[in-house]
Amino acid sequence: ELPYSDSLLVSKASRIHKVTLQNLKKDFAYFYNVKSISENNEIIESGNLTFRTAPEKGQPISFAVVGDTEARPFVNDRIAKLIWEERPDFLMLVGDLTDGGQKNHRWQWTHEYFLGMNQLTSRIPVLPAPGNGEGDRVWYDYYHHLPDKKLPYYSYRYGDAEFFML
């Protein structure tokens, strides 16, 4: 087990937690491990994972662009592994993350999208854009921490570039 230098405790019971990490160094690799206690006191652990913070301006960046990840977790798993081999700074998902995305189709997120993309999305930032596959956007909004969920678009600065997700 790695010797982690900091820890963050979220004590509120919830299925999803959104936290903001403060005072991170630019262009620096961090290691992390997420631990949770289930309702029956079982410890669930992510294992050691990594992420890298954005570079200083003037530094090169690399990113991957993927779309239509819907309904193919076995294909997405292979694609995610190939992308991770290139170590991009972030991933742009340009719509149709799921096939239907409606409120009653949560399984498309938990059993298809996350199952296929997790080894990549747990290590690099994801810039998603909703497509028609996100339907009523219930789960899209629930699973993504976006600037303003009322708007279907946003922009993101990374290094010297600005990306517009429409």
Side-chain angles (χ1 to χ4, degrees), residues 26-39:
K26 287 199 177 263
D27 199 18
F28 191 81
Y30 287 91
F31 292 86
Y32 73 99
N33 182 12
V34 177
K35 292 182 184 179
S36 181
I37 300 176
S38 70
E39 292 173 354

Side-chain angles (χ1 to χ4, degrees), residues 98-112:
T98 64
D99 196 29
Q102 305 295 327
K103 186 173 183 176
N104 62 343
H105 291 162
R106 182 172 183 237
W107 58 270
Q108 291 178 348
W109 290 91
T110 58
H111 290 80
E112 291 180 355

Side-chain angles (χ1 to χ4, degrees), residues 3-151:
Y4 296 102
S5 60
D6 293 307
S7 66
L8 175 66
L9 175 64
V10 179
S11 57
K12 179 183 174 194
S14 177
R15 294 181 69 95
I16 296 220
H17 294 286
K18 296 175 186 175
V19 298
T20 301
L21 303 176
Q22 302 290 330
N23 303 318
L24 299 177
K25 298 176 189 174
K26 287 199 177 263
D27 199 18
F28 191 81
Y30 287 91
F31 292 86
Y32 73 99
N33 182 12
V34 177
K35 292 182 184 179
S36 181
I37 300 176
S38 70
E39 292 173 354
N40 61 354
N41 291 326
E42 176 187 0
I43 295 177
I44 302 166
E45 197 168 346
S46 70
N48 296 323
L49 294 169
T50 64
F51 71 91
R52 183 169 208 87
T53 53
E56 298 280 351
K57 289 187 177 188
Q59 297 298 312
I61 62 171
S62 69
F63 58 94
V65 180
V66 175
D68 292 312
T69 56
E70 57 197 350
R72 295 176 290 280
F74 54 93
V75 173
N76 294 332
D77 178 69
R78 181 70 180 134
I79 290 170
K81 286 176 181 168
L82 289 169
I83 291 171
W84 178 239
E85 286 178 9
E86 299 301 319
R87 299 301 194 266
D89 293 306
F90 60 89
L91 173 67
M92 293 174 65
L93 283 172
V94 293
D96 293 344
L97 285 67
T98 64
D99 196 29
Q102 305 295 327
K103 186 173 183 176
N104 62 343
H105 291 162
R106 182 172 183 237
W107 58 270
Q108 291 178 348
W109 290 91
T110 58
H111 290 80
E112 291 180 355
Y113 172 75
F114 289 125
L115 186 66
M117 299 299 290
N118 185 55
Q119 71 276 354
L120 182 61
T121 59
S122 62
R123 292 180 166 96
I124 61 174
V126 175
L127 295 137
N132 65 330
E134 280 56 75
D136 58 14
R137 290 186 42 168
V138 168
W139 299 115
Y140 174 87
D141 289 341
Y142 185 73
Y143 289 126
H144 296 98
H145 189 61
L146 301 173
D148 185 348
K149 293 185 189 260
K150 295 177 190 139
L151 300 174

